[in-house]
Amino acid sequence: MADPVRQLLYISDARFGLKDRDIESILASSRRNNGAGGITGMLLYSTGVFIQALEGEHNAVETLYNRIADDPRHANIAIISDQMVAERSFGDWAMGFVEASAEELGVGIGINGALDRDQVLALLSGADTGTAAVLRRFARNAT
């Protein structure tokens, strides 16, 4: 059995004016750096909101999360969950990516209709929600 890994999930607002090329740049550098650092994960982007899962060795995840928290492209960052897990949920990707509409995000969380950031944070922060499971549902369409 493999050693447990740290899985940190967070939500943040994209800074106003973030363009598709900015997201492409985030993904390119994430995939390059994460692969070298043993980090895997998933990034979901929905109408100005990032939801991301980071998995890996405890200190590597901590260092990466701190760098993300200091990144000016993110605002209002909040940790949804931070735990040790028996195995990676997103081990196939240095960083998987999917973009979803607010309606698709609502359906993925189990709500019929569009959600805003605060609703998403409240729903995903619930102890019985299974945030990683929500992201895994979106991962089926990830690139």
Side-chain angles (χ1 to χ4, degrees), residues 20 22 26 32 38 46 54 57 74 88 90 93 98 100 104 106 115 118-119 128 130 137 140:
D20 285 346
D22 296 316
I26 289 169
R32 181 179 55 252
S46 178
L54 304 172
E57 187 274 324
H74 295 269
R88 295 172 188 256
F90 308 100
W93 298 295
V98 69
E104 291 167 328
L115 295 175
D118 292 336
Q119 291 170 310
D128 61 348
R137 275 184 244 143
R140 293 183 195 124

Side-chain angles (χ1 to χ4, degrees), residues 4-5 8 10 12 19 23-24 30 34 37 44-45 55 57 69 77 79 85 88 97 110 113 116 122 126-128 139:
V5 295
L8 186 145
Y10 74 87
S12 69
K19 307 276 190 257
I23 294 173
E24 291 168 7
S30 293
N34 292 356
L44 183 141
Y45 179 74
E55 301 172 324
E57 187 274 324
I77 193 165
I79 293 175
V85 296
R88 295 172 188 256
F97 175 73
D116 66 27
D128 61 348

Side-chain angles (χ1 to χ4, degrees), residues 96-108:
F97 175 73
V98 69
E99 186 169 353
S101 70
E103 289 79 14
E104 291 167 328
L105 181 57
V107 169

Side-chain angles (χ1 to χ4, degrees), residues 8-13 44 46-52 65 75-82 102 105-106 108-111 114-132 134-135:
L8 186 145
L9 297 107
Y10 74 87
I11 188 169
S12 69
D13 294 332
L44 183 141
S46 178
T47 57
V49 175
F50 291 112
I51 302 172
Q52 186 168 26
Y65 175 76
N76 303 319
I77 193 165
I79 293 175
I80 297 168
S81 71
D82 187 359
L105 181 57
I109 293 174
I111 303 297
L115 295 175
D116 66 27
R117 180 199 190 276
D118 292 336
Q119 291 170 310
V120 170
L121 181 57
L123 288 168
L124 293 181
S125 295
D128 61 348
T129 305
T131 307
V134 170
L135 286 178

